Amino acid sequence: MECHLVHWNQKYFTFEECLKHRDGLCVLTYLFLVYFQWNNVKFERISENLKYIQNAGSETNIPANSLSWMRIATDCPSYYMYQGSHSGDSNLECATWIVFPVIIPIQSCQLNEFRKLKDKDGEFIKLNWRNVQPLRGQQVFLAVS
């Protein structure tokens, strides 16, 4: 599973305006893998609250420091970076992607909570991925500390 945190450049006044500029977005990418013998207590702050937002447009409050699981991935000696598009619907390279290569362990029951989420039509979200895109001369950089 992947998690994308999308940040938009506030020098542009709307998200839609960001999509028109090469420096419009920065997307932080976190990678997860199910480990059967691992209990990711920090991630439970997210997974245990998904039941309250299963329908599109719903909201809930989550406990403070619910994103502390990110420290596992960001505490690494390197990461990948490239310029790319925001979604499969766009050819505009408006996003700087940062991919943290450290795998965050989660339990299968935590992953299953994401499978219960529904789209705006009330259907379970199943196809929220896109095919691997060709590089077309694009460079992927490895940033090393």
Side-chain angles (χ1 to χ4, degrees), residues 9-21:
N9 191 335
Q10 292 192 345
K11 77 179 184 182
Y12 307 113
F13 295 109
T14 65
F15 185 80
E16 290 72 25
E17 185 65 23
C18 289
L19 299 177
K20 300 174 186 174
H21 301 277

Side-chain angles (χ1 to χ4, degrees), residues 11-133:
K11 77 179 184 182
Y12 307 113
F13 295 109
T14 65
F15 185 80
E16 290 72 25
E17 185 65 23
C18 289
L19 299 177
K20 300 174 186 174
H21 301 277
R22 188 168 174 82
D23 65 345
L25 304 174
C26 181
V27 182
L28 303 180
T29 304
Y30 298 88
L31 306 172
F32 296 86
L33 186 63
V34 171
Y35 284 82
F36 295 100
Q37 301 298 322
W38 185 273
N39 186 16
N40 191 335
V41 177
K42 291 181 179 181
F43 196 73
E44 282 178 1
R45 296 176 188 146
I46 298 290
S47 62
E48 287 183 350
N49 283 284
L50 289 176
K51 61 187 167 199
Y52 302 116
I53 59 163
Q54 289 180 352
N55 297 308
S58 55
E59 297 179 11
T60 192
N61 292 321
I62 58 176
N65 206 17
S66 291
L67 300 178
S68 63
W69 54 266
M70 290 181 200
R71 291 188 188 119
I72 297 169
T74 56
D75 187 22
C76 62
S78 62
Y79 59 88
Y80 297 97
M81 186 174 71
Y82 64 95
Q83 194 69 29
S85 63
H86 171 251
S87 69
D89 301 334
S90 171
N91 291 327
L92 302 174
E93 293 198 349
C94 60
T96 299
W97 286 78
I98 297 174
V99 180
F100 298 104
V102 174
I103 303 298
I104 300 170
I106 59 172
Q107 292 179 307
S108 59
C109 61
Q110 292 173 316
L111 177 62
N112 286 335
E113 292 303 314
F114 285 90
R115 292 184 173 135
K116 297 175 185 176
L117 300 178
K118 298 176 184 175
D119 63 19
K120 61 181 169 64
D121 298 321
E123 301 291 326
F124 290 108
I125 300 171
K126 295 179 184 174
L127 300 175
N128 64 340
W129 58 277
R130 68 191 265 197
N131 291 326
V132 174
Q133 304 295 302

